[in-house]
Amino acid sequence: MTVSPVTAPAVPVRPVAATPPRLEIRHLSRGFGGHAVVDDVSLRVMPGQVTCLLGPSGCGKTTTLRCVAGVDMQDSGEILVDGRLVCDTLFRVPPERRSIGLMFQDFALFPHMSVEGNVAFGLTGTRAEKRARVAALLERVDLGRYIDAWPHELSGGEQQRVALARALAPGPKVMLMDEPFSGLDNRLRDGIRDQTLEILKEEGAAVLLVTHEPDEAMRMADEIALMRGGRIVQQGAPYNVYNAPVDKAAAAFFSDVNVIRGTVRGALTDTPFGQFLAPGVPDGTEVEIVFRPQHVKIDFDRQGSGPLPTPRDGTPARGVVQRARFMGADSLVEFRMDHDGFVLKATVPNVFLPKPGTPLWLTIRRDRCFVFPVR
C-alpha cells in the first residue's frame, strides 16, 4: 500500500508594511510674482536621518522649509508626516499641530523669559512636570546649571543649545533647521554641530537642514539634496554626490575645479593630457573635462625643462608655476600650461611653494575626471 505524503495547507503570507518616511514632500511648488521659487521638489526623510538642502542663496531652500513648517502655503504639492497628510492646497494642519520643531540662525530666544521659560514654551502639564522636562533637556545639552539664567547672560553657543532644547521639548517627529550654526564662530561650530546631531539622532527625529556650506552638509548629512533654481538637481549620500556630480556646476559647488574644453571625434576628446573617452556623445559636440585640484599629480622627480617623463597616469603636460600659496593643511599651486596658456590649479599636502617661473610636468587622475557636454 502506498501512503501519500501529507501536505500542510498553504498559509497566505501577508506582506510586511514598509515603514513610511517620517517626512515626505511630494511635488512641492511655490512661486512669487510669477516666478517659481520652489519647483516640483520631492523628498523623503526617514526617522533618525539627516537630509541637507544644499544650495546657493536664493535657490528655494528656506521657502521649502517654510512650507513644511506651515508658515507659508505651497501652490501645489503635498506634505506628509509619518504617512499622514498635513498639508496640500485644500487641507492644512496648523503649524503647532504638525509635530515639527524649528531651529533658526538667530536662535529666536525670548529675552523676557528665563532659560526655563524659553525651553518650556509650548509645553503642557503642571509646573513641576514642565520643569522636570526642561531640566532633563538642559542636562543633555550640558546647560543644567543655567536653568534660571537669562538669555543675555549666555554666550552664542549656549544660546544655540538652549534653542535646541526648546525645539526638542515637545518631542517633535521632524526637526527643521535653517542654517542654525552660521552665527557661531569656527571654534565652537564643529563641537556644537556634532553634539546637536548626536542628540537629534537619539531622539529619532527626521532632520531637514538648510545650508549653503558644502562642508557643513558633508559633515552632518546622511543624504544631500542639491538645489539650484528652485529644483533638486541631485540627491544622494554625500560620497556619491561629491564623487559623481551630475554636471560641472554640481562639481564646482563642492570645491574648485579645473576645466578643459575639447570636441568629440569618434567618442574621444583630445586634450593636453591625452585623449578622454566620451561614450555616447555625438561627434562634433563640445565637452568639458572637469577635475579637482587635488587630483592633479606633480612629477617631483624631474624638472619641467627635462625630457618628457614616461606616462604613468595618462599623458603628462608641462606647466610653469605662476604662484604658490600655503593654505594650512595643503598648498595651492597655479600653473600656466604650455598648451593654449590656460591656468590649472593643483593642491599638494603640506608645504610646497615652488618659485614662480618653475616648469613642472603634470598628470591628472583619469578616474577622477568628469566629462560633460557644454550646455
Side-chain angles (χ1 to χ4, degrees):
M1 181 177 66
T2 303
V3 179
S4 300
V6 177
T7 303
V11 178
V13 178
R14 295 181 180 178
V16 178
T19 302
R22 180 56 48 90
L23 170 67
E24 185 172 9
I25 302 170
R26 297 177 180 170
H27 306 293
L28 189 74
S29 294
R30 179 72 171 108
F32 298 97
H35 173 66
V37 176
V38 177
D39 187 6
D40 195 28
V41 165
S42 294
L43 274 176
R44 295 160 61 93
V45 189
M46 302 303 291
Q49 178 182 331
V50 178
T51 293
C52 278
L53 278 178
L54 174 65
S57 298
C59 72
K61 306 184 302 294
T62 295
T63 301
T64 300
L65 221 63
R66 288 172 58 85
C67 290
V68 175
V71 297
D72 201 354
M73 188 70 175
Q74 70 266 34
D75 298 325
S76 61
E78 300 174 332
I79 299 165
L80 299 90
V81 174
D82 280 345
R84 296 185 177 182
L85 182 69
V86 298
C87 186
D88 59 16
T89 54
L90 299 176
F91 174 77
R92 187 169 188 263
V93 174
E96 66 274 12
R97 292 176 51 200
R98 294 190 181 193
S99 192
I100 292 176
L102 303 171
M103 283 187 66
F104 298 102
Q105 178 177 338
D106 59 1
F107 316 139
L109 298 180
F110 301 117
H112 63 286
M113 291 185 180
S114 67
V115 168
E116 178 187 3
N118 270 279
V119 178
F121 185 79
L123 288 179
T124 59
T126 66
R127 170 69 192 275
E129 290 170 341
K130 290 191 286 187
R131 186 172 176 87
R133 172 67 171 160
V134 170
L137 284 167
L138 290 176
E139 286 296 333
R140 291 191 69 183
V141 296
D142 301 323
L143 292 177
R145 63 191 180 279
Y146 293 115
I147 189 169
D148 295 316
W150 296 89
H152 71 270
E153 299 175 319
L154 306 180
S155 68
E158 289 164 345
Q159 290 184 35
Q160 195 273 348
R161 285 182 281 162
V162 172
L164 171 62
R166 183 179 65 182
L168 289 172
K173 296 177 179 179
V174 177
M175 181 68 72
L176 305 179
M177 308 175 76
D178 191 357
E179 307 212 35
F181 309 107
S182 60
L184 303 176
D185 60 59
N186 291 334
R187 183 178 59 84
L188 292 173
R189 189 177 303 168
D190 288 349
I192 292 178
R193 275 192 304 214
D194 292 346
Q195 182 186 39
T196 299
L197 185 61
E198 180 181 354
I199 292 172
L200 289 169
K201 284 186 172 289
E202 288 176 0
E203 291 286 320
V207 181
L208 188 59
L209 170 69
V210 160
T211 183
H212 66 274
E213 297 183 8
D215 289 346
E216 182 165 78
M218 296 287 287
R219 185 183 184 101
M220 294 196 68
D222 300 305
E223 189 166 83
I224 291 174
L226 184 62
M227 288 191 74
R228 189 190 311 144
R231 299 182 68 88
I232 293 177
V233 296
Q234 187 171 5
Q235 185 175 343
Y239 179 89
N240 295 331
V241 174
Y242 184 88
N243 287 295
V246 294
D247 54 27
K248 181 180 72 173
F253 194 80
F254 287 91
S255 70
D256 285 342
V257 294
N258 295 298
V259 181
I260 300 174
R261 286 203 172 194
T263 303
V264 175
R265 299 284 183 235
L268 293 171
T269 304
D270 288 322
T271 79
F273 295 96
Q275 292 184 321
F276 280 77
L277 287 170
V281 180
D283 280 5
T285 301
E286 191 174 9
V287 295
E288 293 174 316
I289 292 92
V290 179
F291 53 98
R292 296 190 166 96
Q294 64 264 35
H295 297 136
V296 177
K297 298 172 65 175
I298 301 174
D299 191 326
F300 296 105
D301 299 327
R302 305 169 188 263
Q303 293 297 319
S305 57
L308 185 71
T310 302
R312 290 191 296 266
D313 196 1
T315 302
R318 199 183 79 146
V320 177
V321 175
Q322 297 295 291
R323 63 174 176 166
R325 292 170 288 168
F326 179 60
M327 307 297 290
D330 51 35
S331 299
L332 176 65
V333 186
E334 296 181 0
F335 293 91
R336 177 75 62 181
M337 303 303 294
D338 287 352
H339 181 88
D340 290 343
F342 69 90
V343 175
L344 183 146
K345 296 179 180 179
T347 54
V348 181
N350 301 316
V351 181
F352 178 65
L353 301 174
K355 293 181 180 180
T358 302
L360 289 166
W361 291 105
L362 310 173
T363 56
I364 55 178
R365 288 190 55 178
R366 293 299 187 97
D367 61 334
R368 289 293 184 265
C369 293
F370 314 109
V371 180
F372 302 118
V374 175
R375 296 179 179 177

